[in-house]
Every structure is written in structure tokens, then in C-alpha cells.
Amino acid sequence: MSIQLQPESADLEQWVILAQQEAASFEVMDPFFLSGIGDFVKHETIAEQFRKSGMAKSVHGAFIDVNPASGDPAFRELSRHRCRESCEIAAALGAGNLVFHSSAFPFLRGAYLENWAAGCASFYEELAEQYPVRVYIENAQDVDPTPLRCLMERIQSDKIRVCLDIGHVHYSRTPVSRWFEELGDWIGYLHLSDNLGEFDDHLPLGQGSIHWELVNSLWKSLGRDIPITLETGNLDSTKESLRFLRQHQYFGLEG
């Protein structure tokens, strides 16, 4: 199993130590919480830190207000620009995986969903062909698996798959088992965090109400090794989550 952590650049040395202890790698997200998203690669200090660590295997791409299939041409083009910036950052860090949020409005279906899925499919395929990355689309505001299923049914590239965020599943209105049933063949990546079923709290694993024994069983049913990122915040919360996984021997971590 491939465990990944989301490091904070301010404490990168401590994150590197933890990753080495855990034989883990990094999913880099900092660029999209820093001001001047497009300046990240030019910011030599931070970029060089992540490059030198040799642990940046994945990047969490731009996600705030991003919709590359927006019906508004201005929003669509800006979103696609942010996505291309994300690809450039991944290339600069030598990261082979790139995660984007799903951007479909959850309460519109029919022609809206068809157009969204078609627009996203062609754009993500363009990125996967142009850049040396595998692209994963993550459920975010989705209330059920339908938008991601509609998207994946149109995808022709084997470099594009689903990142299933278990925390996001938990506050959707659809049981986790159905997400695995409908998207199972396309799931190539997992995000793990806990919450109480209402908000995206990013609690340490075991501190919310997610049924982790069930999730672990569903992960096993996939029958393949996939990247799994702990999205549990700071170092202490991440260490606590790792202890929880080991205590219960979830996701292949032994006690």
C-alpha cells in the first residue's frame, strides 16, 4: 500500500522525518493555499525544498472555484489555466499523480450534466496527453456517484481515474458502499480524513463517525495497490491517524 502525507512547507523538515519513518511519500497541496498560485514554481525556496525531499509523488491541483467545463467562457478559461498551472507544478516537482476536484453542480442533471461530463472528459484527456501525469478526479460537493460515473464513462485514457475522498463521501447523502459499487473499476486513489457527517472537518482518523472497518473492507475488495493520502491536517493529527490505522491494521498498515 502506498501511503502519502500532505506536508506543510513551514514544517517540511519534520514532515520529511515522519515520511521517512513511515516509508511514506508526499501529496503536495501547499501551492493552492499560498498567495500567487502561479508564482509557486518561481518561488525557488519552497519549490527546491519539495524537490530536494524526493518525496513529492503527487500534487493536489487547484480546486477553489475551479470548473473547467463552466458554461461561462471566462470562468472556464481561467479554470483551465489553473489546471495547467497545476500540471506545471507537478512536472517541476517530478510528481506523477495529479488530483482535481469534481466540479459538477450537484443538483442539476440531464443536459447540464451531459455537457459538464463531455467538457471535462475532453479537457482532462488533453492534460493527460500533454503532461507526464496520471489525473485523478475527486468527489467533492457530489451527493452521489452519478457525476463521476458520467464523466468516467466518457474517458478513453487509462491515465484518468477517480480519487475517492472518504471524508467527502461521509457527508454526502449516499452510503459509502454504493460509491465503491458504482465507481469501483475506476477508483485509483483514496483520500482519508474523518468527520461527523455534516462538514469537511478533516479530523484525525477515528475521531469522527466514519465506519473505518467497512471502508477498509471495501478498499480490500478493489484488489489493487493504489495511492492513499491522509488529509488530516498538521503533524500531530497525521501521527494520530497513522497510530489509528496501525492499531486496527487498516489499509495494510501493521501494528
Side-chain angles (χ1 to χ4, degrees), residues 20-232:
Q20 290 173 337
Q21 292 172 341
E22 299 290 341
S25 55
F26 290 157
E27 179 187 309
V28 178
M29 193 175 190
D30 258 18
F32 306 104
F33 284 126
L34 298 174
S35 60
I37 291 174
D39 293 335
F40 175 78
V41 176
K42 300 175 185 177
H43 194 314
E44 288 302 320
T45 302
I46 295 177
E48 193 63 21
Q49 280 182 317
F50 281 117
R51 280 196 293 266
K52 282 185 175 179
S53 77
M55 295 180 176
K57 303 302 182 186
S58 304
V59 167
H60 193 308
F63 62 96
I64 298 174
D65 300 326
V66 170
N67 182 357
S70 172
D72 185 307
F75 290 135
R76 181 171 64 248
E77 289 311 307
L78 178 57
S79 293
R80 293 186 175 202
H81 175 66
R82 291 291 183 235
C83 290
R84 292 188 183 96
E85 283 182 334
S86 304
C87 292
E88 296 291 342
I89 290 171
L93 297 180
N97 301 317
L98 185 58
V99 179
F100 290 120
H101 279 190
S102 166
S103 53
F105 183 72
F107 300 108
L108 288 177
R109 298 295 161 96
Y112 165 82
L113 185 56
E114 296 292 324
N115 291 335
W116 173 85
C120 282
S122 62
F123 177 64
Y124 292 137
E125 287 179 330
E126 176 187 322
L127 294 183
E129 182 176 350
Q130 184 177 357
Y131 295 94
V133 296
R134 293 182 62 84
V135 177
Y136 297 90
I137 312 305
E138 172 187 350
N139 58 303
Q141 58 194 19
D142 307 74
V143 297
D144 61 39
T146 300
L148 282 175
R149 190 184 70 244
C150 288
L151 172 61
M152 295 309 301
E153 286 172 346
R154 288 162 176 76
I155 294 291
Q156 300 298 313
S157 172
D158 61 4
K159 292 178 65 180
I160 305 171
R161 290 292 182 264
V162 169
C163 170
L164 190 65
D165 188 301
I166 301 302
H168 297 173
V169 164
H170 193 50
Y171 63 67
S172 77
R173 59 188 187 187
T174 304
V176 64
S177 56
R178 184 176 153 198
W179 289 84
F180 277 85
E181 288 167 6
E182 292 201 23
L183 301 176
D185 290 343
W186 294 304
I187 296 172
Y189 203 112
L190 290 183
H191 276 173
L192 306 184
S193 66
D194 218 330
N195 63 64
L196 298 172
E198 294 186 33
F199 302 105
D200 196 14
D201 300 310
H202 288 270
L203 298 174
L205 305 190
Q207 288 197 7
S209 54
I210 291 177
H211 189 338
W212 288 109
E213 184 176 359
L214 173 59
V215 175
N216 181 67
S217 175
L218 292 167
W219 163 74
K220 284 184 178 178
S221 73
L222 295 177
R224 53 185 179 270
D225 182 30
I226 61 177
I228 298 177
T229 296
L230 297 181
E231 288 196 309
T232 48

